[in-house]
Amino acid sequence: MEIDRVLRPGGYWVLSGPLINWRTNYQAWQRPIKELEEEQRKIEEIAKLLCWEKKHEKGETAIWQKRINYDYCQEQDTQPTMCESTDAEDVWYKKMEACVTPYPETTGPDKVVGGTWKSFPERLNAVPFRISSGSIKGIGVEAYQEDNRSWRKHVNSYKRINKILDSGRYRNIMDMNAGLGSFAAAIESPKLWVMNVMPTIAEKDTLGVIYERGLIGIYHDWCEAFSTYPRTYDLIHANGVFTLYKDKCNAEDILLEMDRILRPEGAVIIRDQADVLVKVRKIVGGMRWNTKIIDHEDGPLVTEKILFAVKRYWVTENVTSSP
């Protein structure tokens, strides 16, 4: 049911390995055939209840497809329990419910919920269904398109300052406050990928928009550690993060977490108010980051500024000592 919630209408679920490959591995597993058959039967039963269509099964792989709308499912003998929550995306720190998330309404039995999906990269800048349908209050089509234009301008400015931004030097990039994903869309290149992070305290939850654009993303609270290996990211982008968390946790803690996941010689771009960046610059000086603050693209009178930083290797100075 949770897979059904996060899977878009018309999307696919692929199950490979256990349990589908039991016919070739039951002897090695030393388990009774009837027991394994019953386990697969339960999976098939739930998939049918969810109204998924089984498209393929061969060897160690089975594929189901979620219906394009709920009209196909109305005549089923058994109907699942539908969720009553008004916000299917309000799931952070919430208990999972044993119910099925309703499909959005369509205008006809053959219509795909949200319309036919465009291929990537055209999908990257097309207006997402969540925007065109008015699902996110306060963000309409015009605001979405303006956000795209603004971030294209911002990214062009970044490239003038950091001339290796699009060279392939930065492969793994993180956007700590991704919004509509427009930074990732503007910087999109086969040379890199962007992890779009949606802060759990953000005013609007736009993670669904990010996925509809064909991008990858995740929820996170920046007062907590981010679940990743140290020295994973080549570049970190932080737009308004320190203003957003000013009453939630210390800037030092967020910066130390950024330092942990940033590789040596990796870069950081922080957009925020001038007074905030002055405080941030003082902290990262103690972390041995090289920093530079520049004016907003629209001139020095804009209170928002941009801090560019590079994490240095920590090396000791050469010291001559007697053997």
Side-chain angles (χ1 to χ4, degrees):
M1 288 183 176
E2 177 64 1
I3 292 170
D4 184 81
R5 186 186 71 82
V6 301
L7 191 64
R8 69 168 175 84
Y12 295 87
W13 182 57
V14 181
L15 177 61
S16 61
L19 181 73
I20 294 300
N21 63 344
W22 67 268
R23 290 181 177 84
T24 55
N25 293 318
Y26 72 91
Q27 290 180 325
W29 295 348
Q30 297 182 356
R31 293 183 60 192
I33 292 178
K34 289 186 177 180
E35 182 180 289
L36 294 167
E37 283 180 326
E38 177 62 16
E39 289 183 10
Q40 180 166 355
R41 187 196 66 78
K42 289 180 179 178
I43 292 175
E44 304 272 4
E45 187 178 85
I46 295 171
K48 185 177 180 180
L49 178 67
L50 294 170
C51 195
W52 293 354
E53 180 185 4
K54 191 170 187 180
K55 307 294 287 188
H56 172 84
E57 181 180 338
K58 183 177 181 181
E60 301 198 354
T61 304
I63 302 174
W64 285 266
Q65 184 179 20
K66 183 175 177 177
R67 299 291 187 174
I68 61 173
N69 61 50
Y70 199 67
D71 288 351
Y72 287 93
C73 312
Q74 300 285 8
E75 298 179 0
Q76 280 193 163
D77 294 334
T78 306
Q79 294 291 324
T81 302
M82 306 303 289
C83 298
E84 296 180 359
S85 172
T86 56
D87 187 358
E89 299 180 15
D90 183 20
V91 295
W92 189 254
Y93 288 141
K94 302 290 178 66
K95 290 184 177 180
M96 292 173 62
E97 298 181 52
C99 59
V100 175
T101 303
Y103 284 69
E105 294 183 2
T106 55
T107 56
D110 297 323
K111 298 294 184 180
V112 181
V113 170
T116 304
W117 288 76
K118 292 180 170 58
S119 300
F120 197 85
E122 183 184 0
R123 178 178 168 187
L124 190 62
N125 291 301
V127 179
F129 174 70
R130 281 175 170 84
I131 298 294
S132 60
S133 65
S135 300
I136 301 176
K137 294 181 180 179
I139 304 178
V141 173
E142 186 176 340
Y144 168 78
Q145 293 173 338
E146 177 57 32
D147 190 68
N148 278 333
R149 287 192 291 269
S150 294
W151 280 105
R152 282 195 289 268
K153 183 173 74 171
H154 295 336
V155 168
N156 286 335
S157 176
Y158 294 166
K159 289 179 179 179
R160 288 195 295 270
I161 304 300
N162 186 338
K163 299 187 184 301
I164 62 173
L165 191 58
D166 196 32
S167 68
R169 174 73 176 272
Y170 305 125
R171 175 66 176 173
N172 305 330
I173 297 177
M174 173 185 284
D175 191 357
M176 294 176 66
N177 186 15
L180 298 173
S182 298
F183 165 77
I187 203 174
E188 193 274 329
S189 166
K191 299 176 183 178
L192 55 84
W193 70 279
V194 181
M195 171 58 78
N196 294 279
V197 181
M198 172 58 54
T200 55
I201 66 169
E203 182 182 351
K204 292 181 174 62
D205 180 359
T206 53
L207 186 61
V209 172
I210 289 168
Y211 274 97
E212 286 191 356
R213 300 183 75 168
L215 300 167
I216 190 72
I218 191 172
Y219 289 115
H220 184 62
D221 181 351
W222 283 111
C223 291
E224 302 177 7
F226 188 85
S227 180
T228 194
Y229 293 103
R231 301 175 300 279
T232 294
Y233 288 91
D234 304 325
L235 185 146
I236 298 176
H237 180 253
N239 174 43
V241 169
F242 295 96
T243 293
L244 181 65
Y245 280 91
K246 65 180 180 181
D247 298 323
K248 300 294 182 180
C249 50
N250 294 328
E252 291 91 334
D253 294 330
I254 298 175
L255 286 164
L256 286 170
E257 180 64 0
M258 292 170 67
D259 185 82
R260 183 185 70 82
I261 64 179
L262 185 68
R263 68 167 177 81
E265 295 189 348
V268 175
I269 303 174
I270 304 174
R271 295 185 76 92
D272 222 311
Q273 295 301 305
D275 59 330
V276 174
L277 291 188
V278 169
K279 295 176 182 177
V280 167
R281 189 177 193 178
K282 183 177 180 180
I283 297 168
V284 299
M287 295 161 58
R288 300 188 185 179
W289 289 7
N290 289 334
T291 61
K292 178 181 181 180
I293 295 179
I294 67 168
D295 289 325
H296 189 277
E297 298 89 352
D298 293 335
L301 298 181
V302 181
T303 57
E304 184 180 77
K305 307 294 180 183
I306 304 102
L307 184 148
F308 286 83
V310 175
K311 177 181 175 179
R312 295 190 298 165
Y313 280 102
W314 282 43
V315 294
T316 58
E317 295 181 0
N318 293 327
V319 179
T320 304
S321 60
S322 300

